[in-house]
Amino acid sequence: MKSEPSTFSIDDLAKRPNQSEPWDGVRNYQARNFMRTMQLNDLAFFYHSSCEVPGIAGIVKITKTAQPDKTQFDLKSDYYDPKATPENPRWFCVEVKLVKKFDHIITLETLRKQATLKDMRLLQRGSRLSVMPVTSNEWSIIDKLIK
DNA sequence: GCCAACGTTGGC
DNA sequence: GCCAACGTTGGC
């Protein structure tokens, strides 16, 4: 799950009550669909994008499954969607809770150096989905990179 | 700031 | 349903 740290970083998550936060603002159908497949207690990597050192900053857990994203109904929100109604919501979000903040970012550069990760979706050319799946094999490879 | 790679929109 | 124009993402 990607976030721009200037908007919402892993440190911001750490400061939230219960270290939990709804992952709102996703406005891409594919990313939304992936979120809807997430189940309670699923784990995800928290990825920092569009920043000085892009990479994985830590691990989060899904503490609420997908429910309507409130920001789509909020006129004042950047994520407001005039085509969405409470009766017929268009966008959904899960709630995530911080599990672990890494001592060091696992950088995009490091990920790219792993030959075993070359097929990982995140690393594919033109890949820019903000929510995307990680295989269990990829997960264990990345898990071993944590220091 | 640049730009490749997408995704979305809207006229036809 | 096609596709040009436009907007967005995100690494560099």
Side-chain angles (χ1 to χ4, degrees):
Chain A
M1 304 178 81
K2 297 184 191 172
S3 180
E4 300 187 14
S6 58
T7 303
F8 187 76
S9 71
I10 198 159
D11 288 325
D12 293 325
L13 179 60
K15 288 178 210 150
R16 285 292 195 269
N18 208 28
Q19 301 195 322
S20 298
E21 181 79 356
W23 201 265
D24 55 20
V26 172
R27 294 294 180 269
N28 171 283
Y29 289 106
Q30 244 187 308
R32 178 201 70 180
N33 293 344
F34 283 134
M35 270 203 296
R36 294 181 83 167
T37 69
M38 291 176 173
Q39 298 182 17
L40 214 56
N41 297 322
D42 275 354
L43 297 178
F45 289 124
F46 191 129
Y47 181 91
H48 281 175
S49 65
S50 290
C51 56
E52 200 168 341
V53 186
I56 302 172
I59 294 173
V60 296
K61 183 168 74 176
I62 306 307
T63 45
K64 278 183 192 164
T65 54
Q67 48 195 296
D69 177 343
K70 292 192 177 79
T71 63
Q72 70 193 305
F73 312 126
D74 180 0
L75 273 163
K76 282 175 264 173
S77 169
D78 288 342
Y79 303 119
Y80 174 69
D81 184 343
K83 291 177 183 164
T85 63
E87 296 73 34
N88 197 6
R90 184 182 273 221
W91 305 111
F92 291 78
C93 62
V94 295
E95 183 188 76
V96 303
K97 180 183 167 76
L98 183 63
V99 171
K100 184 184 173 68
K101 179 193 165 183
F102 298 158
D103 293 333
H104 309 284
I105 299 260
I106 301 176
T107 66
L108 178 60
E109 189 187 6
T110 298
L111 295 171
R112 289 206 187 281
K113 281 182 187 157
Q114 314 302 315
T116 46
L117 291 178
K118 69 174 172 49
D119 293 330
M120 192 179 179
R121 188 153 185 161
L122 174 74
L123 305 179
Q124 298 313 299
R125 183 180 183 78
S127 169
R128 47 176 223 188
L129 272 180
S130 64
V131 178
M132 65 178 88
V134 178
T135 68
S136 55
N137 185 42
E138 289 159 358
W139 186 281
S140 63
I141 290 167
I142 293 166
D143 204 51
K144 288 176 188 136
L145 298 173
I146 303 168
K147 296 194 181 74

